[in-house]
Amino acid sequence: MPARTPSRPHPATTGGVDIRLPWWALALPALAFIALLALILNPSDAHAASGDPAITHLFERAQRLLAR
């Protein structure tokens, strides 16, 4: 006895996909882009972080140990 295949209740629609994004999905990347663009245009605002001397010495010792 062959098994019956279930039929689709509604035919598939041929229209486009309806995707709605929340407002922040567009606002956050735009804000990040503007912030990075502002840093590029005015690099005097971008300051390098000063390292702690103890951490620097620790990395130097680790580098010396690995170089042996």
Side-chain angles (χ1 to χ4, degrees):
M1 174 188 280
R4 288 185 41 176
T5 58
S7 62
R8 289 187 160 188
H10 302 289
T13 59
T14 58
V17 178
D18 184 25
I19 297 176
R20 301 194 66 184
L21 292 174
W23 65 270
W24 50 265
L26 294 175
L28 289 179
L31 183 64
F33 176 76
I34 290 170
L36 290 174
L37 185 63
L39 286 176
I40 290 172
L41 294 177
N42 193 5
S44 65
D45 291 340
H47 302 289
S50 61
D52 188 17
I55 294 174
T56 306
H57 292 297
L58 179 67
F59 284 128
E60 286 176 358
R61 286 188 181 192
Q63 188 177 19
R64 281 189 224 136
L65 287 173
L66 293 174
R68 286 187 184 181

